[in-house]
């Protein structure tokens, strides 16, 4: 009987301690959620009204945006037509009807209303919904000091301390369905179509480097595994299956840089043509579109 009472006491003590830990943890999350909601409702940024940079402690919400210095690209919240989902994205600033070229949280939208993009004090970007739940973050190991939208449409984070000029994260290394001039395409980096014209979630079609060998070519795949088109080998001035590319007066050239371990592709738009929206896109039907 004495042993039973002791066991009951130990169980009671353990249960009470465990319950206290759960309550303490719940209070921490509640306080975090409350602080995030307060921050959202008082969201201010030193980069608003035409700035291109977010500093540690800054945030964006609702119709607040940052814009590249040349006025070509804008970053902020958008909601596709007829949807009630919100995303952080980049689009061409001068065009009234948004042409989105990059989406941060494409597979995890904020439901109902815009959330808040925070540059937290630990040097990381975090997107929260209105209830304070984490929706997206690049989650980098290195601490950032500022984030900015460049004139080429690249959203970059620069390091802290001695690494202030070092890019510790960039949207160009994590593209969506669009390849912009100056963006590096190497093995492991692919374009993935939208699910539909109004749903930026990852679709069925991809475009990237041929991973089957050390070929210097591009390939389009269905469902991430079934190739259905190949550009052919790079000849030095065009892809073997696309010789018409060598006669294009607007796309100045594809640039191929080869090292012992990597092959990188770039494309440049002829600056004399003053083409703002030059880009390559794989659409929801698996078609590769070149906009010039």
């Amino acid at each position: 009987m004495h042993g039973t009472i002791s066991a009951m006491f130990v169980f009671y003590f353990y249960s009470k301690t465990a319950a206290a830990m759960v309550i303490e943890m719940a209070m921490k999350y509640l306080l975090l959620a409350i602080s995030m909601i307060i921050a959202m409702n008082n969201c201010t940024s030193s980069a608003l009204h035409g700035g291109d940079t977010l500093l540690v402690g800054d945030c964006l919400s609702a119709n607040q945006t940052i814009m590249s210095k040349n006025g070509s690209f804008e970053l902020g919240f958008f909601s596709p037509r007829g949807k009630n989902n919100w995303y952080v994205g980049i689009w061409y600033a001068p065009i009234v009807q948004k042409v989105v070229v990059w989406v941060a949280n494409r597979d995890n939208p904020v439901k109902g209303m815009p959330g808040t993009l925070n540059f937290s004090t630990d040097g990381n970007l975090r997107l929260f919904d209105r209830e304070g739940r984490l929706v997206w973050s690049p989650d980098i190991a290195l601490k950032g000091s500022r984030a900015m939208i460049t004139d080429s449409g690249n959203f970059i984070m620069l390091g802290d301390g001695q690494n202030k000029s070092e890019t510790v994260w960039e949207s160009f290394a994590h593209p969506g369905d669009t390849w912009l001039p100056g963006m590096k395409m190497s093995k492991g980096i692919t374009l993935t179509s939208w699910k539909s014209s109004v749903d930026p979630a990852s679709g069925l079609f991809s475009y990237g480097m041929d991973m089957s060998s050390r070929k210097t070519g591009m390939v389009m795949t269905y469902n991430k595994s079934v190739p259905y088109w190949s550009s052919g080998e790079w000849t030095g001035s065009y892809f073997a299956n696309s010789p018409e590319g060598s006669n294009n007066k607007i796309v100045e050239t594809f640039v191929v840089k080869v090292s012992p371990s990597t092959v990188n592709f770039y494309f440049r738009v002829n600056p004399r043509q003053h083409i703002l929206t030059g880009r390559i896109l794989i659409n929801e039907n698996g078609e590769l579109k070149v906009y010039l």
Side-chain angles (χ1 to χ4, degrees), residues 3 12 27 50 95 116 131 140 258 265 275 291:
Y12 171 76
M27 288 299 295
I95 300 176
T116 303
E131 282 71 46
I140 59 172
V258 182
F265 287 96
I275 301 298
Y291 292 89

Side-chain angles (χ1 to χ4, degrees), residues 176-190:
D177 65 341
T178 303
W179 187 359
L180 293 172
M183 183 186 293
K184 176 175 68 177
M185 186 68 73
S186 57
K187 289 193 174 182
I189 297 179
T190 60

Side-chain angles (χ1 to χ4, degrees), residues 162-271:
Q162 296 181 343
N163 303 314
K164 285 190 175 179
S165 61
E166 178 187 356
T167 299
V168 296
W169 180 87
E170 59 179 327
S171 62
F172 271 16
H174 306 273
D177 65 341
T178 303
W179 187 359
L180 293 172
M183 183 186 293
K184 176 175 68 177
M185 186 68 73
S186 57
K187 289 193 174 182
I189 297 179
T190 60
L191 305 182
T192 302
S193 66
W194 283 26
K195 198 169 184 179
S196 73
S197 61
V198 293
D199 185 353
S202 299
L204 291 173
F205 302 97
S206 302
Y207 176 70
M209 288 188 63
D210 190 342
M211 301 290 286
S212 62
S213 67
R214 290 186 58 84
K215 293 178 180 179
T216 55
M218 310 295 288
V219 65
M220 296 169 69
T221 57
Y222 172 77
N223 205 22
K224 298 182 180 180
S225 61
V226 183
Y228 65 92
W229 180 85
S230 172
S231 67
E233 291 281 338
W234 178 253
T235 67
S237 56
Y238 58 88
F239 292 108
N241 293 342
S242 305
E244 66 277 4
S246 62
N247 298 319
N248 199 305
K249 293 182 173 58
I250 297 178
V251 173
E252 191 171 52
T253 186
F254 274 88
V255 181
V256 181
K257 294 184 179 180
V258 182
S259 72
S261 59
T262 61
V263 180
N264 297 324
F265 287 96
Y266 306 79
F267 82 95
R268 294 192 298 238
V269 173
N270 190 328

Side-chain angles (χ1 to χ4, degrees), residues 59-185:
C59 59
L60 291 179
S61 184
N63 60 349
Q64 299 172 332
T65 64
I66 57 175
M67 186 182 297
S68 61
K69 278 188 169 64
N70 65 358
S72 295
F73 293 95
E74 193 168 13
L75 179 144
F77 284 88
F78 76 97
S79 181
R81 183 180 69 253
K83 298 288 183 179
N84 201 22
N85 294 332
W86 289 86
Y87 304 87
V88 170
I90 297 172
W91 55 85
Y92 293 108
I95 300 176
V96 175
Q97 187 172 352
K98 282 186 176 64
V99 176
V100 177
V101 298
W102 181 77
V103 184
N105 56 316
R106 64 181 304 183
D107 292 311
N108 193 19
V110 177
K111 302 289 186 179
M113 61 183 69
T116 303
L117 180 65
N118 288 66
F119 202 157
S120 305
T121 54
D122 65 353
N124 217 327
L125 285 166
R126 291 186 175 90
L127 172 62
F128 295 93
D129 66 14
R130 298 297 292 186
E131 282 71 46
R133 291 183 293 251
L134 180 65
V135 174
W136 171 86
S137 175
D139 197 23
I140 59 172
L142 296 175
K143 185 176 181 180
S145 62
R146 56 195 173 112
M148 61 184 295
I149 179 77
T150 69
D151 289 347
S152 60
N154 194 9
F155 186 40
I156 65 173
M157 287 180 63
L158 298 174
D160 191 26
Q162 296 181 343
N163 303 314
K164 285 190 175 179
S165 61
E166 178 187 356
T167 299
V168 296
W169 180 87
E170 59 179 327
S171 62
F172 271 16
H174 306 273
D177 65 341
T178 303
W179 187 359
L180 293 172
M183 183 186 293
K184 176 175 68 177
M185 186 68 73

